[in-house]
Amino acid sequence: MRRIGVLTSGGDAPGMNAAIRAIVRKAIYHGLEVLGFRRGFQGLMSGEYTLMRLGSVADIIHRGGTILLTARAPEFEKESGQQKALQVIANCGLDALLVIGGDGSFRGAAALEKLGVPTIGVPATIDNDIAFTDYTIGFNTAVNNVTDAINKVRDTATSHERVYVIEVMGRTSGYIALAAGLAGGAESILVPEIPFDLSAVVERLQRGVKRGKLHSIILVAEGAASAFSVAEIIKEKTKMDVRVTILGHVQRGGTPTAFDRILASRLGAEAVDLLRSGRHGRMLGFVDGKICSTPLEKALSAKRKFPADIYQLAAILAI
Ligand code: F6P
């Protein structure tokens, strides 16, 4: 193996830069050349890349986003797009490709692996919705961003004795809502993985008010319900002062936490080692404190089990 490629794809995640840095530096340390493709699979199809040097990844470990830029590339899902990428890979003399991203990106990586390109996936998405890893790069930072926002909303919620319905990201998963809801002491957490009953949410609210609570926070995962419709129902049933805050993309930005930087550095370095040992078609993960790897196809067909016990705990503690 002489030359490898790296790209970031899908929604950006804080810590992607730390992963790029680890891959580039570990590969150069072992005498490999690294080409960085811009805008994910888009750049792989159009041949938009640069040779990464030690200095190309200087001063990025603390930056959110991705210096390689990212994109969602529907064309790459088609055979014609994949053939374009294969041509570029052959022209550049690439021996392997490292894909930093979430499940959509891993589907692209698995397709290339099937076509004979040795590929490794490094899990990075704020959603934390990938099986065979306890954490994806970016999740910890996003949870901290949301927790920080909850703290701020709490101040004003208490002063005005209001109910706030806060909507968070996660696409079809509720991991961000659960973790930030537990960390932020939300009164109720609505996630797509667990059926909920809004009358129970209302009862909880009213119980809280009776025992003197000055504010309430309802955290809603975007995949569970719309914060506006939840707020409407609560307002109608309780006649309380209810406001909505949709956190949106602020959750995905900012400097990555030390946890995400360390995770990204370890996973990125391990991705290079895995390739050097001749293993590919795999996704890296962090399970029970250890780095491990799983075949991409297996990871893509599995669904993470939602931690119902932690959900239950959050409900008990916010009673
Ligand atoms: O997958 C990451 C994520 O931030 C999801 O939580 C969210 O649903 C989606 O991306 C938003 O995508 P976009 O950046 O295209 O609006």
Side-chain angles (χ1 to χ4, degrees), residues 32-53:
L32 301 174
E33 265 182 18
V34 187
L35 303 186
F37 287 83
R38 285 157 68 86
R39 301 187 186 87
F41 291 106
Q42 199 62 52
L44 193 65
M45 289 184 290
S46 61
E48 206 188 330
Y49 62 85
T50 44
L51 177 67
M52 307 293 284
R53 303 176 193 280

Side-chain angles (χ1 to χ4, degrees), residues 51-288:
L51 177 67
M52 307 293 284
R53 303 176 193 280
L54 289 175
S56 318
V57 291
D59 200 27
I60 65 167
I61 196 166
H62 61 299
R63 296 189 198 280
T66 160
I67 56 159
L68 288 177
L69 309 180
T70 186
R72 295 197 167 92
E75 194 193 345
F76 189 73
E77 287 164 26
K78 298 188 209 133
E79 207 196 314
S80 54
Q82 292 166 13
Q83 288 304 324
K84 278 188 196 167
L86 278 184
Q87 196 54 59
V88 171
I89 289 170
N91 292 346
C92 304
L94 271 198
D95 298 311
L97 181 72
L98 299 173
V99 174
I100 305 170
D103 56 351
S105 314
F106 287 179
R107 268 191 289 280
L112 280 178
E113 175 74 30
K114 254 195 195 146
L115 292 168
V117 181
T119 308
I120 300 281
V122 178
T125 162
I126 62 164
D127 300 341
N128 206 31
D129 57 349
I130 295 182
F132 300 105
T133 186
D134 293 343
Y135 302 105
T136 53
I137 296 164
F139 171 68
N140 185 266
T141 307
V143 169
N144 277 293
N145 285 342
V146 175
T147 307
D148 187 43
I150 295 175
N151 295 341
K152 289 174 174 148
V153 167
R154 256 172 189 275
D155 290 345
T156 177
T158 307
S159 310
H160 288 265
E161 299 176 72
R162 279 177 181 158
V163 175
Y164 271 81
V165 181
I166 303 180
E167 186 178 302
V168 299
M169 279 184 168
R171 205 179 285 275
T172 55
S173 80
Y175 288 92
I176 296 177
L178 174 61
L182 179 59
E187 273 62 34
S188 292
I189 305 171
L190 309 185
V191 294
E193 292 86 348
I194 299 193
F196 55 86
D197 171 8
L198 281 183
S199 25
V201 171
V202 167
E203 258 171 47
R204 263 176 103 81
L205 266 178
Q206 289 170 330
R207 239 189 356 250
V209 171
K210 264 197 198 132
R211 71 167 184 79
K213 273 197 179 182
L214 293 179
H215 72 260
S216 291
I217 305 281
I218 319 284
L219 209 57
V220 183
E222 63 175 339
S226 135
F228 282 106
S229 42
V230 170
E232 225 20 75
I233 294 168
I234 294 175
K235 208 183 276 180
E236 198 186 298
K237 293 200 174 173
T238 63
K239 310 291 176 228
M240 290 163 90
D241 194 4
V242 186
R243 297 292 154 101
V244 172
T245 300
I246 300 194
L247 293 182
H249 293 79
V250 290
Q251 292 164 88
R252 229 162 64 182
T255 184
T257 58
F259 181 92
D260 274 331
R261 297 181 202 188
I262 293 166
L263 180 67
S265 301
R266 292 184 65 188
L267 293 181
E270 184 62 26
V272 174
D273 279 345
L274 208 60
L275 277 181
R276 291 179 62 245
S277 68
R279 298 174 82 202
H280 48 82
R282 303 179 78 83
M283 170 207 113
L284 285 161
F286 185 70
V287 177
D288 294 336

